[in-house]
Amino acid sequence: MVQSQGKGLFQTDSISLKLLEVGVGTQKEFTRCLSLKYEKERYTPYSYFSGSFVLDLPLGEVFDAELCINGNPVHKGIVDTMQTEEKAGIKTLKITSRSHTSMMGQNEVTPGVLTNVSLVSLMSNYISIPYVYCENLTSTSNYIYVKEHSSLWDAVTNLCLKQYGTYPYIANINTVRFTMPSSPKAVTLSRENGNILSCGSFWDYTKALSHIHMADTEGTYNTFNKTDSLVPQRNIVRHKHIAFDRQWLENPEKTLQYRLNFGVRGYSQKFVEYLGFNGEDINDILNFEDIQNKRISRIQIEAGEYGIKTRLSCYFDRYNNL
């Protein structure tokens, strides 16, 4: 719902922002949202939002943000930036925030070999980050190799690739998952409801590699080589050379294929945009016309004069909707 608050000023009534002030134990809630952009994506280890709210309570320095849209909790994270301002008699708050899982990519794991490691042990024994959770997976791999300056997210990704042959993702609020949800929400959209704004397809080859070459353990390059099966057909030529990846000592070919796969992440997409928000999450199920029983890979939400609108994208790549 949108209500005018004067010329050029609008608010939506279905968005709640709760903030914690430094040195104060209780949250302050702001519901008069002027604008909002929110995103959560299959390969990005955090959700993100930027927003502007009417500042109708006194507010000092804040350090934790929780966002709820249409009654659905969608975000809990650190405050990246915050600004309060008074203009034309109206006090506003501008804020940007990334979920707590963003710090998995900002904390380095001690280099070396980690043995008998599981997702649970990796998340609990090495670096502890507040409000970050994981799927209860205790099966172990013999080892993973942690390179210099590798982050906790890098280590989690390597373990997921090794155990499941796919990439991890963030589900719900700050929860790391390797497997698909056991009870995904199934969302069905229809033009008959009158809330469909747009739909279409999108292709992205900006990250794609055509060839990858890896040195051996002695540093001799071009010992291991692999050509992508898809990219050269599009007349794209991108060669990349890498040092030997000790993560895959038993099968060096795997690291080449995984890097090629990651290069074409999200290269083919179908999307639909509608008014409202139904509480969708990554890897929930979307049904709309030619998109049937496909996993949701990207969620983009905007709020403003028009109210709330959501764009759902399904990726068709080597790790999604095969």
Side-chain angles (χ1 to χ4, degrees):
M1 181 184 299
V2 179
Q3 295 179 347
S4 174
Q5 299 295 310
K7 186 177 181 181
L9 180 62
F10 295 81
Q11 73 174 69
T12 59
D13 293 330
S14 302
I15 297 173
S16 167
L17 173 65
K18 294 180 180 180
L19 301 174
L20 271 178
E21 287 182 288
V22 175
V24 179
T26 57
Q27 292 177 317
K28 289 186 176 179
E29 184 175 11
F30 300 88
T31 59
R32 300 173 66 188
C33 179
L34 306 175
S35 65
L36 181 79
K37 288 187 177 181
Y38 167 91
E39 182 166 348
K40 192 175 185 183
E41 193 263 346
R42 170 68 171 82
Y43 293 103
T44 303
Y46 55 86
S47 57
Y48 169 86
F49 83 86
S50 63
S52 178
F53 291 76
V54 173
L55 188 62
D56 46 14
L57 292 172
L59 189 66
E61 180 188 353
V62 298
F63 68 97
D64 189 88
E66 294 184 16
L67 183 67
C68 188
I69 304 176
N70 284 352
N72 302 285
V74 297
H75 177 94
K76 180 176 174 61
I78 60 175
V79 174
D80 283 330
T81 65
M82 168 190 157
Q83 173 183 303
T84 60
E85 181 181 31
E86 183 173 349
K87 187 175 181 179
I90 300 171
K91 295 181 179 179
T92 59
L93 162 70
K94 293 181 179 179
I95 186 170
T96 64
S97 173
R98 285 172 295 170
S99 63
H100 290 289
T101 49
S102 65
M103 289 184 285
M104 294 178 64
Q106 299 170 342
N107 283 273
E108 296 181 357
V109 179
T110 303
V113 178
L114 306 182
T115 58
N116 297 320
V117 62
S118 68
L119 176 59
V120 169
S121 68
L122 185 58
M123 293 293 295
S124 59
N125 295 343
Y126 294 94
I127 298 173
S128 178
I129 301 174
Y131 306 111
V132 173
Y133 315 98
C134 71
E135 188 176 1
N136 186 27
L137 298 177
T138 57
S139 60
T140 61
S141 287
N142 290 337
Y143 78 95
I144 61 170
Y145 182 78
V146 179
K147 295 182 288 187
E148 285 190 3
H149 304 300
S150 290
S151 68
L152 177 58
W153 181 252
D154 292 332
V156 166
T157 297
N158 287 339
L159 181 63
C160 186
L161 285 168
K162 199 159 193 175
Q163 291 187 328
Y164 290 89
T166 189
Y167 272 78
Y169 66 99
I170 305 302
N172 302 317
I173 304 295
N174 295 322
T175 302
V176 179
R177 288 192 64 93
F178 286 1
T179 70
M180 294 294 104
S182 58
S183 301
K185 175 181 288 189
V187 177
T188 299
L189 301 176
S190 172
R191 295 182 191 270
E192 297 176 357
N193 295 332
N195 64 345
I196 302 300
L197 298 174
S198 68
C199 61
S201 301
F202 178 74
W203 286 266
D204 179 4
Y205 289 100
T206 59
K207 303 174 290 291
L209 301 175
S210 60
H211 302 78
I212 189 163
H213 314 276
M214 186 171 68
D216 60 17
T217 55
E218 303 299 321
T220 302
Y221 276 90
N222 296 313
T223 303
F224 303 99
N225 307 281
K226 199 166 189 64
T227 300
D228 193 88
S229 60
L230 175 76
V231 177
Q233 300 174 15
R234 274 68 176 172
N235 291 334
I236 297 172
V237 179
R238 293 194 188 107
H239 287 250
K240 184 172 184 178
H241 293 262
I242 61 174
F244 186 78
D245 189 345
R246 297 181 182 277
Q247 175 63 37
W248 306 102
L249 279 170
E250 75 282 6
N251 192 345
E253 289 290 324
K254 279 189 175 182
T255 190
L256 302 182
Q257 188 59 60
Y258 287 145
R259 289 171 187 255
L260 292 175
N261 292 349
F262 194 60
V264 294
R265 62 192 182 277
Y267 82 95
S268 176
Q269 306 177 24
K270 291 185 178 181
F271 65 86
V272 57
E273 187 176 52
Y274 71 95
L275 282 173
F277 175 60
N278 293 317
E280 299 90 344
D281 197 11
I282 299 298
N283 282 321
D284 279 343
I285 302 297
L286 176 61
N287 295 289
F288 174 74
E289 296 184 347
D290 64 339
I291 306 173
Q292 291 296 314
N293 295 317
K294 301 303 181 183
R295 300 281 180 176
I296 297 170
S297 308
R298 188 180 187 186
I299 302 164
Q300 297 164 280
I301 303 171
E302 290 189 16
E305 299 179 9
Y306 39 75
I308 299 171
K309 64 179 182 180
T310 301
R311 175 165 164 160
L312 303 175
S313 299
C314 297
Y315 294 172
F316 297 85
D317 58 24
R318 291 169 184 158
Y319 297 119
N320 298 279
N321 294 308
L322 300 176

